[in-house]
Amino acid sequence: MQQYQKLVYTVCLQFVRDPHTAEDLTQDTFLSAWASIDRCDPNYYKQWLVRVASNKCKDHLKSAWARKVEAQSDETMPEPRGEPPGGSGLGAAEPDPQDDFLRRADAAELEEMIRTLREPYGRAAAMYLLDELPVTEIARKLGRPAATVQNQLFRAKAILRKQINERRQE
């Protein structure tokens, strides 16, 4: 745990952007890892812990509580500085080049999946997910009602989710 706690905390902080939540997710990661440690070859602990941490963060971000409560408090939350809170026992970790490469490769693959979505989902999804435009702006630019754009985004996300799950199973 001491060897990888900085790495796991940094991964969690990258996902959730909140130092306290990142600490909680770091603890959850190590608890889950401890329960299943016999399934992993010791040579791959680092990669395995990063995967467990990222899955914990993704689960947290998908939870209804995180979507509702954290979205409401975004205006009041300061941007994370990359440093854990004092007294946490965690220091800032140096970025791991391998993790950075994998993150960029995953992001590029996701961007390609978004850009190749069939219409009418492709342009709306690219504007929303890549350009981070609000639904009302997308609706105005595409000349569609906002409800139609929201429906198309919902379907685009479902298509992307299916494609991602299929690629994971390959």
Side-chain angles (χ1 to χ4, degrees):
M1 184 176 149
Q2 289 177 346
Q3 183 178 359
Y4 298 116
Q5 69 183 2
K6 292 177 184 177
L7 170 66
V8 171
Y9 175 81
T10 302
V11 168
C12 293
L13 187 63
Q14 293 277 330
F15 273 95
V16 299
R17 303 265 184 228
D18 176 46
H20 300 293
T21 305
E23 279 186 352
D24 293 341
L25 290 168
T26 300
Q27 288 179 342
D28 288 348
T29 298
F30 283 109
L31 287 172
S32 293
W34 178 255
S36 304
I37 195 131
D38 57 329
R39 292 192 218 162
C40 182
D41 183 343
N43 295 327
Y44 299 102
Y45 280 160
K46 182 177 181 179
Q47 296 90 332
W48 181 61
L49 283 170
V50 168
R51 176 64 68 167
V52 171
S54 65
N55 287 340
K56 285 286 181 189
C57 292
K58 289 173 187 176
D59 289 345
H60 170 76
L61 292 172
K62 285 190 290 188
S63 72
W65 183 86
R67 286 194 319 260
K68 184 168 178 84
V69 173
E70 290 180 2
Q72 292 173 352
S73 64
D74 278 347
E75 296 85 32
T76 60
M77 291 296 291
E79 281 294 313
R81 302 274 186 232
E83 294 287 327
S88 67
L90 298 171
E94 290 294 318
D96 185 359
Q98 180 182 3
D99 294 338
D100 187 44
F101 173 78
L102 291 174
R103 239 187 324 277
R104 280 188 276 137
D106 287 345
E109 184 177 1
L110 180 60
E111 182 176 342
E112 179 64 25
M113 290 169 69
I114 292 168
R115 293 199 185 280
T116 57
L117 279 173
R118 62 184 163 84
E119 285 304 323
Y121 313 116
R123 288 192 339 207
M127 288 179 179
Y128 184 77
L129 298 170
L130 300 177
D131 300 336
E132 299 180 2
L133 294 176
V135 173
T136 54
E137 180 71 15
I138 296 168
R140 187 186 61 75
K141 286 186 175 190
L142 296 177
R144 301 175 187 162
T148 301
V149 171
Q150 286 178 324
N151 193 350
Q152 291 169 344
L153 290 172
F154 176 81
R155 290 180 180 166
K157 290 176 187 178
I159 292 168
L160 289 170
R161 194 175 302 117
K162 182 179 177 185
Q163 289 176 354
I164 290 168
N165 287 334
E166 287 171 357
R167 289 187 184 197
R168 283 183 182 161
Q169 292 174 358
E170 291 177 353

